[in-house]
Amino acid sequence: MAIKYTEDHEWVLVEGNIATVGITDYAQNALGDIVFVETPDVGHSVDKGEDCAVVESVKTASDVFAPLTGEITEGNAALEDEPELVNSSPEGDGWFFKMSIGDEAELENLLDEAAYKEFCEGLD
């Protein structure tokens, strides 16, 4: 089990061949109060970098990108009624979707926690 990050501010928890994906604490702070989340359909195949979910806050709407190539296996249904879970638990109950990993080699391109922290410090 390892958590990786993207420069698009998604976190990726890898457990076996399944990746759980959400947006980082940095991203939810930048967005402000989340009011709507649209998760991708189960069974939808996605390519790395493809927009596959939407998050809307009181400030703006943003796409959430697939961090890996694979197939969506589950969307977080709890976000339909409680989108604020993204604010209260961005890297826990506020996950967006789970996906099968189509190409494990793509994991090498994701950032570890230290690299992501350094990336974010460069943005401020």
Side-chain angles (χ1 to χ4, degrees):
M1 183 167 74
I3 297 179
K4 299 284 190 170
Y5 299 88
T6 71
E7 291 184 354
D8 293 318
H9 305 288
E10 288 104 10
W11 58 265
V12 183
L13 173 64
V14 178
E15 297 174 294
N17 189 41
I18 298 295
T20 303
V21 180
I23 64 170
T24 65
D25 188 55
Y26 180 92
Q28 70 83 21
N29 270 323
L31 289 169
D33 292 335
I34 305 299
V35 296
F36 177 77
V37 174
E38 180 181 317
T39 60
D41 294 330
V42 171
H44 181 69
S45 294
V46 294
D47 292 324
K48 180 182 175 186
E50 179 181 331
D51 58 330
C52 62
V54 175
V55 58
E56 292 183 20
S57 71
V58 294
K59 294 180 184 177
T60 188
S62 296
D63 290 325
V64 176
F65 303 98
L68 304 163
T69 299
E71 183 177 309
I72 304 300
T73 60
E74 184 178 351
N76 187 352
L79 296 180
E80 290 181 27
D81 295 329
E82 298 178 80
E84 63 274 11
L85 284 173
V86 177
N87 292 118
S88 63
S89 183
E91 298 184 27
D93 293 338
W95 59 274
F96 278 52
F97 57 89
K98 295 185 180 191
M99 63 184 298
S100 62
I101 300 171
D103 183 359
E104 290 191 18
E106 291 176 348
L107 292 169
E108 298 300 319
N109 297 324
L110 299 177
L111 305 172
D112 63 19
E113 184 176 359
Y116 178 70
K117 184 177 177 183
E118 184 178 322
F119 172 74
C120 290
E121 288 172 354
L123 300 175
D124 294 331

